[in-house]
Amino acid sequence: MRLFQKKLPQSAQHTLGKHTLGLTAAGMTGIICPVMKTPVTVTVTGAAGNISYSLLFRIAAGEMLGADQPVILKLLEITPCLEKLQGVVMELEDCAFPLVKEIVATDDPAVAFKDADWCMLVGSVPRKAGMERKDLLSINGKVFVGQGKAIAENAAPGCRVFVVGNPCNTNCLIALHNATGMPKENFFAMTMLDEYRAKAQLAAKAGVAVSDVTNMTIWGNHSATQYPDFTNAKICGKPATDMIADEEWLKGEFIKTVQQRGAAIIKARGLSSAASAANAALMTVKNLTTPTPEGDWYSVCTFTDGTKYGLPAGIICSQPTRTNADGTYSIVEGLPIDAFSREKIDASCQELLEERAEVLG
Ligand code: NAX
């Protein structure tokens, strides 16, 4: 195990704290520095990868947990990538982010997850040519078994786990099953990028700003079977289907574009989505920690109990979600599901059940 750790000296922390609060000359003017919040520990896996190269700097800048929230960053990588990770740590240091109180970089999950409040599981082994989906599930399954156990054994009470690394729904389910003693409600997987992709497509088609598109649900799996639900989406507060009369486009090209957007980006860029994925990861945590505006919701994958929308129990499935004033979250209930939507949602859930069957045991 190799580990490098940078803890800012007390005096530096003090100075940085004053910068955060905009009190640069407090000592000279006699202004008393307000007490800083207790740092939140954020663990990020796959920390030397593409998504993390955007994600870490935005967390450090306060864009995820707030501009007044200090953070301790714990970064996990596999041993061959530790040198690359050291370079990322050096760049983080060179940003002199006032909110960053400590950076730990390691290849030991027990060290990385120690006292973690948020575990952002970005790292996973990518699918290579000739690899079947079940091969990928099996390789990553082992990673998420180990990480689930290490989180349960080391993380802070109430820690929340958010999986980005693909296949993220099933990786999340594996971590959840191995994190003995942790509440199932504390496990999430990402479909926020798909939600944003869907909103952008609807906005472009309707000729409105993307912020005018609300109530967008991604149902099911973060895969090509996901269903972006235009039937319950709104544009400028009205049903999207009233604002976009082209039903053929909604049922065809729209869904396909959202489902295939990741592949289209790989084709165009030669690399998979990174900055947009980091943005979506950041916004998911922000949504989960901030009360949701009245009347709206967001998409995130959570553990199903089998009582809502006919979704099978025991999978990690994307659903319309709201964060309550007390910090808990609820699934939005009572949305109408027409026959077209039913078929799409069931197909994606079926895929999740198949993935679960493949990794059982
Ligand atoms: P990269 O390959 O650039 O980085 C992944 C990093 O994870 C590598 O540095 C690797 O060394 C590290 N890693 C592998 N196994 C690890 C382990 N056991 N512990 C710690 N680190 C480990 O991929 P990147 O572009 O950053 O994408 C990361 C993951 O996000 C991929 O699985 C990707 O498929 C997934 N995505 C998920 C999305 C979503 O919406 N849920 C969208 C974007 C992205 O495709």
Side-chain angles (χ1 to χ4, degrees):
M1 185 271 285
R2 284 169 60 196
L3 164 74
F4 36 103
Q5 184 162 4
K6 303 281 177 181
K7 190 162 190 162
L8 296 171
Q10 212 52 48
S11 56
Q13 287 185 25
H14 189 67
T15 310
L16 293 171
K18 280 191 289 187
H19 278 237
T20 314
L21 299 159
L23 300 173
T24 46
M28 291 162 66
T29 56
I31 298 170
I32 297 165
C33 291
V35 177
M36 293 282 286
K37 287 181 170 177
T38 306
V40 168
T41 298
V42 182
T43 300
V44 178
T45 73
N50 284 316
I51 293 176
S52 293
Y53 194 63
S54 173
L55 179 64
L56 291 173
F57 294 82
R58 294 185 64 185
I59 296 172
E63 288 185 56
M64 185 169 87
L65 296 171
D68 62 346
Q69 178 58 64
V71 288
I72 293 170
L73 293 175
K74 298 204 171 173
L75 313 180
L76 182 68
E77 257 299 344
I78 50 172
T79 313
C81 289
L82 278 181
E83 195 174 343
K84 188 176 174 195
L85 180 59
Q86 175 128 40
V88 177
V89 171
M90 287 157 74
E91 283 204 71
L92 281 165
E93 286 172 351
D94 294 350
C95 292
F97 286 117
L99 293 173
V100 177
K101 296 300 162 206
E102 192 180 344
I103 304 173
V104 175
T106 179
D107 57 1
D108 183 348
V111 173
F113 295 123
K114 183 84 190 131
D115 300 329
D117 298 300
W118 275 99
C119 296
M120 306 192 62
L121 308 186
V122 181
S124 71
V125 177
R127 190 164 172 169
K128 299 194 181 90
M131 206 187 254
E132 297 287 327
R133 191 177 65 169
K134 71 169 186 287
D135 300 330
L136 186 71
L137 282 166
S138 153
I139 293 168
N140 280 314
K142 292 190 188 96
V143 171
F144 285 83
V145 166
Q147 292 189 353
K149 286 183 176 157
I151 291 168
E153 284 162 16
N154 295 285
C159 166
R160 281 178 279 181
V161 179
F162 174 47
V163 182
V164 176
N166 280 325
C168 65
N169 299 59
T170 299
N171 287 343
C172 183
L173 187 68
I174 295 168
L176 176 154
H177 276 287
N178 286 280
T180 311
M182 284 182 66
K184 292 181 170 57
E185 300 75 46
N186 290 18
F187 287 78
F188 309 92
M190 183 162 98
T191 43
M192 185 64 68
L193 180 54
D194 308 298
E195 177 184 322
Y196 285 161
R197 287 167 172 169
K199 283 179 164 173
Q201 294 301 316
L202 291 184
K205 181 75 172 175
V208 300
V210 77
S211 53
D212 291 331
V213 184
T214 58
N215 305 81
M216 184 74 232
T217 313
I218 302 293
W219 294 95
N221 198 2
H222 168 68
S223 75
T225 66
Q226 65 175 271
Y227 173 51
D229 181 1
F230 58 87
T231 68
N232 285 299
K234 290 186 180 158
I235 299 176
C236 301
K238 300 188 183 118
T241 44
D242 287 359
M243 302 292 281
I244 299 174
D246 189 346
E247 192 184 336
E248 195 186 327
W249 180 84
L250 285 168
K251 288 185 167 175
E253 199 181 324
F254 164 66
I255 296 176
K256 199 168 165 211
T257 302
V258 177
Q259 289 174 336
Q260 302 292 336
R261 187 70 165 182
I265 286 169
I266 293 175
K267 190 160 175 256
R269 215 171 80 88
L271 286 168
S272 62
S273 344
S276 57
N279 179 63
L282 196 100
M283 292 308 294
T284 306
V285 173
K286 201 168 176 177
N287 279 322
L288 285 166
T289 50
T290 316
T292 309
E294 203 47 49
D296 203 0
W297 60 76
Y298 58 87
S299 304
V300 68
C301 311
T302 47
F303 190 75
T304 52
D305 62 6
T307 65
K308 297 176 190 75
Y309 296 109
L311 305 176
I315 54 172
I316 297 284
C317 184
S318 187
Q319 308 171 67
T321 308
R322 284 182 55 81
T323 300
N324 308 310
D326 64 0
T328 59
Y329 71 86
S330 310
I331 305 302
V332 176
E333 296 193 54
L335 298 180
I337 306 292
D338 65 12
F340 179 84
S341 299
R342 183 78 267 157
E343 195 183 315
K344 299 281 179 200
I345 294 169
D346 288 349
S348 198
C349 287
Q350 183 56 34
E351 184 183 44
L352 283 169
L353 288 172
E354 286 166 19
E355 287 186 15
R356 187 179 70 177
E358 279 170 24
V359 297
L360 268 185

